[in-house]
Amino acid sequence: MTGTSHRTVTPWRSDGLTAEDLDLMVDELCRLLPTWLPGQRWYAGKGHGLCEVRPILAEVVVPGTPALLQTVFRTDDGECYQLLVGAGPGPADAGTGVSAESVIGSSRTSDGLRVTLYEASADPDLLSGLLKRFVAAEPCGALEYHHVPGATIPAGLRARPLTGEQSNTSVAFGDRAMLKVLRRVMPGANTELEMLAALERAGDVPSAAPLAWAQTAGRYGAEPTTLCILQEFVPSRGDGWSIATAEAEACIRGACESVAPLGGFSDDAFALGQATAQVHRALAQQLEARPLSLPEAVELTDALVARLDDALVEVPDITPYARGLHTAYQDLREVVQRGNPLPIQRIHGDLHLGQALRAADGWVLIDFEGEPGHPFEERRHLQPAVRDVAAMLRSFDYAAHHALGEILGIPPGEQTSRDLRGTRLARRASAWAVHSRRAFCAGYTAAGGQDPRTSPVLLRAFEADKAVYEALYEARNRPEWLPIPLAAVRRLAHGSRFVG
């Protein structure tokens, strides 16, 4: 992407939307966005002031009243964000389905007509118009729309916004397709497209098939930037997080006080382990997989230590456990130095319960873009598959404590040892997490994955790294939940490698 706006003269009203009209709207967006952007859940710069944004791209992709603008703006910290902007007389007209909360502000055309500018990802008519761009696969100014070879793009379907995502925005089209609008965009081949295509080639893998994508044209020597991915819609009864937390709450409320709950999520956790192993096996077959070299092991453990040292600056509560965590990372390096082969491959990279959907015939893993905000080349680095496993095991711990917090009505940091009921329920929550972790590992092994419990040094190191990351996140965003990752940090620093 370049720093130059590319703008298209496209009919809008009977007398036309001119290039000057579009310039006026984009200029007004540049004035409005420093205040509006930080309030969006997908904005990555929370806690940092935003002074200026600059337009990178603005195209009218759906003409009419209202019109849809597909835009990219660069913030003063160098990040680029995509917005789908509706431009019309007003977004709250009957039947549009757009709330007043979506309004960004207003502008005027060159002839003085007032135009309301609003975030349009919840406008079903405009998003259905955008789907036509994917069906036609024709360029629109600086934008290109591409079909995946052999894919059939559904036409004439009404858009339905989906909720719950944090870093992107998803829109369903009937029960046929789902459009992921990437919010924080960067140049280069898209990791998720690459991973989904590999899983589709493997066949019989629990993932959604890619159908099409939109990207910048890559003019003036710039790399193309992927903006949207259209993929198969996966009907489901919910995501893993919502299902697991509901099951955990039911088990914690049960009559069992001293024995680990045996009902609830164990069968689902086993099946989720199977699905994860199937995905790992397919990625290893379709993309590169090889043993970790000794220099790479040194680089990997140095990166873990650097992440810990950065976290210690912001989360002093980790300090008493720093020595034990450093030992865990050093143990990982010594395993490789002793000649034990450590397979590395492409992995999901950001796996947790919310990245799985419970479809009619089993779990489907989604969102293969890796850790948001990291460069694409970094997301392509080969890593041990156990890193995904460790991340999912931490997610079970979070689900249990989230359910406990819902029952007690207080954050975990406010519970005291004198709260006998809370202590009893906390034991049940821990038992549920342990049982779910066991079931997940058993399912992973049953589907052909290496039993993570046979590699306790690896599992300990990557669980510790994930817990440190969680502690940093909670300290920044939700301090009352910091005791959850701190409990894991304490356990792992003291050498407890696997609970369950």
Side-chain angles (χ1 to χ4, degrees), residues 140-360:
C140 176
L143 295 173
E144 297 175 348
Y145 300 86
H146 297 273
H147 289 182
V148 172
T152 301
I153 313 300
L157 299 177
R158 187 166 177 80
R160 183 180 79 255
L162 303 176
T163 59
E165 276 195 286
Q166 296 298 316
S167 55
N168 297 301
T169 300
S170 293
V171 179
F173 294 96
D175 60 355
R176 299 280 308 283
M178 191 271 287
L179 180 68
K180 176 183 281 190
V181 180
L182 305 179
R183 292 302 193 171
R184 193 178 176 189
V185 299
M186 58 188 68
N190 183 269
T191 307
E192 183 161 24
L193 269 177
E194 185 180 21
M195 302 272 271
L196 290 176
L199 295 173
E200 180 71 4
R201 290 195 304 270
D204 196 27
V205 178
S207 66
L211 303 175
W213 74 97
Q215 67 179 36
T216 62
R219 295 175 176 175
Y220 316 115
E223 284 188 280
T225 298
T226 302
L227 301 178
C228 302
I229 300 174
L230 187 70
Q231 56 191 272
E232 173 189 22
F233 180 78
V234 180
S236 73
R237 65 180 179 92
D239 65 87
W241 175 259
S242 60
I243 296 172
T245 52
E247 295 285 2
E249 185 171 342
C251 286
I252 295 168
R253 291 183 184 276
C256 178
E257 297 185 12
S258 60
V259 181
L262 300 179
F265 198 67
S266 58
D267 289 344
D268 272 323
F270 184 92
L272 184 53
Q274 289 180 304
T276 303
Q278 290 167 6
V279 165
H280 281 165
R281 188 170 63 249
L283 291 175
Q285 291 170 350
Q286 296 295 322
L287 302 172
E288 185 182 0
R290 57 176 174 77
L292 182 76
S293 69
L294 181 55
E296 287 173 326
V298 173
E299 182 181 348
L300 172 61
T301 52
D302 285 349
L304 298 180
V305 170
R307 284 163 67 116
L308 171 59
D309 291 343
D310 288 343
L312 288 169
V313 175
E314 292 191 50
V315 193
D317 290 316
I318 300 176
T319 303
Y321 315 112
R323 178 177 295 181
L325 295 172
H326 280 106
T327 299
Y329 302 152
Q330 183 61 37
D331 288 347
L332 170 61
R333 181 183 298 187
E334 290 178 359
V335 164
V336 181
Q337 287 175 329
R338 289 195 297 265
N340 297 296
L342 177 56
I344 55 175
Q345 62 167 89
R346 294 289 293 276
I347 65 172
H348 184 284
D350 189 31
L351 192 61
H352 53 78
L353 285 163
Q355 306 285 40
L357 300 177
R358 189 63 172 88

Side-chain angles (χ1 to χ4, degrees), residues 364-431:
V364 175
L365 301 191
I366 59 173
D367 290 341
F368 286 85
E369 62 183 293
E371 289 191 10
H374 288 228
F376 286 131
E377 283 309 310
E378 185 177 325
R379 301 184 206 184
R380 286 194 181 86
H381 287 175
L382 305 187
Q383 302 184 63
V386 71
R387 190 162 207 162
D388 274 350
V389 173
M392 184 61 81
L393 297 184
R394 291 293 312 129
S395 195
F396 287 122
D397 189 41
Y398 256 81
H401 284 89
H402 177 85
L404 177 64
E406 290 295 303
I407 293 171
L408 297 178
I410 58 173
E414 295 180 14
Q415 184 181 327
T416 68
S417 59
R418 288 176 289 181
D419 180 1
L420 298 182
R421 174 175 176 266
T423 300
R424 185 174 68 252
L425 295 181
R427 290 198 196 101
R428 293 184 189 171
S430 296

Side-chain angles (χ1 to χ4, degrees), residues 59-116:
E59 297 288 358
V60 179
V61 295
V62 179
T65 306
L68 177 63
L69 281 58
Q70 194 163 357
T71 70
V72 176
F73 290 86
R74 176 178 285 130
T75 61
D76 49 21
D77 60 359
E79 299 290 350
C80 293
Y81 293 91
Q82 176 181 196
L83 279 75
L84 299 179
V85 179
D93 292 350
T96 66
V98 178
S99 67
E101 288 74 22
S102 299
V103 175
I104 301 171
S106 64
S107 179
R108 292 191 180 276
T109 63
S110 57
D111 57 2
L113 178 67
R114 183 178 180 275
V115 178
T116 299

